[in-house]
Amino acid sequence: PPATPAGATAGAAAGTPATRGGLVNSSRVRQAMLADKVAAQARELKRAQLALQRVEEAMAAADTDRTALRASLAAAEAAVDEARSEQRLALAEARSQAQALEQLKEERAREQQQRQQQ
């Protein structure tokens, strides 16, 4: 016995009830398959949106880190500049003291020489 009702293929053009029912069922199956496909695509889109959101959050965090590093670098450069300035001042002070000590030695030597001459 054939799997289709009698006259189903011949009656397709005529639109017999058996054929219409088969087409309706076939249409519902296709519709269900399409609905499943759309649902799967919607889930994939949602996953992609969440992944994009995580990437954007990571980029924002990296920007924040980069800004903090720039500020830290600027502070470090300022500290180095200040330390160099202090070092130059200390070196100038040490030179001045060394010069004053040398002058004091020379004065003492002259005074001692004068005492010896007297």
Side-chain angles (χ1 to χ4, degrees), residues 22-86:
L23 290 176
V24 167
N25 285 339
S26 175
S27 174
R28 285 184 182 152
V29 168
R30 281 195 311 273
Q31 212 173 15
M33 289 173 61
L34 286 174
D36 286 346
K37 235 183 211 183
V38 167
Q41 288 173 341
R43 287 189 300 273
E44 185 59 33
L45 177 61
K46 184 66 175 175
R47 278 192 291 270
Q49 287 172 333
L50 290 173
L52 178 60
Q53 182 180 356
R54 286 191 298 272
V55 167
E56 288 172 344
E57 289 169 357
M59 288 176 64
D63 284 344
T64 299
D65 290 347
R66 186 171 32 253
T67 301
L69 285 172
R70 284 185 182 140
S72 178
L73 177 60
E77 288 172 343
V80 167
D81 289 345
E82 185 177 343
R84 285 180 179 156
S85 179
E86 289 175 7

Side-chain angles (χ1 to χ4, degrees), residues 89-105:
L89 289 173
L91 184 58
E93 181 66 25
R95 285 180 180 155
S96 176
Q97 289 177 357
Q99 195 175 26
L101 182 61
E102 189 62 35
Q103 288 174 352
L104 185 59
K105 285 180 183 178

